Amino acid sequence: MTASTTTTAVAARADNVWKVYGTGEAQVLALRGVTAEFSAGRFTAIMGPSGSGKSTLMHCLAGLDYTDRGEVHIGDTKVTGLSDRGLTKLRRHKVGFIFQQFNLLPTLTAEENILLPLSIGKRKPDTTWFDQVIDTVDLRDRLKHRPSQLSGGQQQRVACARALVQRPDVVFADEPTGNLDSRSGTDVLKFLRASVDQFGQTIVMVTHDPVAASYADRVLFLADGQVVDEMFEPTADRVLDELKRFEEIVAAQSGGER
Ligand code: ADP
Ligand code: MG
């Protein structure tokens, strides 16, 4: 494969995706026709105000939630219309998740947590790959510890290793640094960046932090359930300026309605 085909491959795609929660008065249009592509081997950040649909978009892309209209693909797999069994298979084999709250099982050791997605699927780990991931997240001497014996940063690195160990097509991370102090957060972001640069991993990360977003190759901005802008090679300052610009637009609009 040549470099150009590698860079143009699409790991995940949303085509005109709509998502509605609730009915009648309580109805919320969480996504309103979102179209977006996520290139393979790239790190994309999704940003936007609280309630703009970031988590919903991620859940729809990953097959954790259904779309009401439009289509979602992970690689060549059409996620839209998959049966429950197909979705389970997709989640097990094609996608990895990192959540704000780590979501580790308290009774399992770090190593058992990391290998859980493989053991559920009755698959054996590739030991070379396992070692590489463990060394990259720097957890070699913590493998026999349980989550309660680990710091927040270490727990999130366990969650990162768990997401990567099955070599998913895409890793989805929803505010992965939201519960961490800035130093642990930096460790996690550096690891995510390294997994893209060294292993060609595809990452889609929701964040509200401009510094976290600056680790990505590209930032997609959502507002009110729609994609409103994107930025390549973001810096924290440029992202911050862009977010301020949105706030001014929103303020001007609500001022006009008064
Ligand atoms: P973000 O992650 O950007 O903060 P979300 O995707 O969580 O936003 O939410 C988008 C909108 O959809 C919000 O108005 C939210 O209240 C609503 N929403 C999200 N999940 C549900 C749900 N399960 N039921 C009802 N409304 C929801
Ligand atoms: Mg969210």
Side-chain angles (χ1 to χ4, degrees):
M1 215 192 297
T2 65
S4 65
T5 55
T6 313
T7 50
T8 52
V10 174
R13 197 169 89 223
D15 287 312
N16 192 25
V17 167
W18 290 72
K19 179 70 189 176
V20 185
Y21 288 115
T23 52
E25 295 270 295
Q27 195 176 67
V28 177
L29 282 174
L31 297 177
R32 301 188 295 148
V34 170
T35 295
E37 284 190 349
F38 300 89
S39 301
R42 289 283 188 274
F43 188 171
T44 307
I46 300 177
M47 297 197 87
S50 180
S52 58
K54 303 182 297 292
S55 295
T56 304
L57 175 59
M58 179 168 286
H59 293 166
C60 287
L61 284 167
L64 290 173
D65 208 341
Y66 295 99
T67 60
D68 288 299
R69 249 170 75 187
E71 277 183 12
V72 170
H73 285 79
I74 296 285
D76 298 332
T77 306
K78 186 172 154 190
V79 178
T80 315
L82 280 181
S83 62
D84 282 349
R85 226 179 119 199
L87 285 173
T88 303
K89 226 172 120 186
L90 176 98
R91 291 194 293 261
R92 234 173 240 171
H93 298 277
K94 303 235 169 189
V95 295
F97 298 99
I98 304 167
F99 299 99
Q100 187 172 348
Q101 307 287 353
F102 319 142
N103 288 14
L104 303 178
L105 289 184
T107 56
L108 300 184
T109 64
E111 181 168 15
E112 288 164 345
N113 266 289
I114 292 167
L115 293 175
L116 192 63
L118 292 173
S119 33
I120 288 174
K122 297 197 171 53
R123 285 178 294 159
K124 287 241 158 21
D126 169 341
T127 50
T128 315
W129 174 242
F130 177 81
D131 285 342
Q132 214 172 342
V133 170
I134 294 306
D135 288 336
T136 317
V137 289
D138 196 16
L139 283 171
R140 177 69 57 198
D141 56 353
R142 292 288 182 277
L143 288 177
K144 300 297 171 209
H145 291 57
R146 289 180 207 288
S148 61
Q149 301 168 308
L150 299 171
S151 70
Q154 288 166 342
Q155 289 184 59
Q156 192 63 311
R157 284 186 276 135
V158 170
C160 288
R162 179 182 58 185
L164 249 89
V165 79
Q166 52 173 338
R167 293 180 177 271
D169 289 0
V170 188
V171 167
F172 292 101
D174 196 347
E175 302 274 8
T177 58
N179 260 337
L180 302 178
D181 60 80
S182 81
R183 196 173 144 227
S184 306
T186 304
D187 287 344
V188 164
L189 291 163
K190 280 186 178 159
F191 166 71
L192 294 178
R193 185 68 248 173
S195 72
V196 173
D197 294 339
Q198 294 168 26
F199 312 139
Q201 181 63 57
T202 306
I203 295 183
V204 178
M205 171 182 77
V206 166
T207 183
H208 65 266
D209 175 8
V211 175
S214 72
Y215 283 79
D217 298 303
R218 168 187 174 228
V219 183
L220 202 66
F221 293 93
L222 280 192
D224 212 6
Q226 292 182 307
V227 176
V228 288
D229 208 352
E230 67 177 337
M231 182 187 290
F232 290 90
E233 292 176 31
T235 63
D237 283 343
R238 283 174 62 223
V239 169
L240 201 57
D241 285 346
E242 184 79 358
L243 294 175
K244 275 191 201 141
R245 202 169 65 84
F246 289 144
E247 275 169 23
E248 281 161 15
I249 293 171
V250 171
Q253 280 172 347
S254 56
E257 281 163 16
R258 242 177 256 138

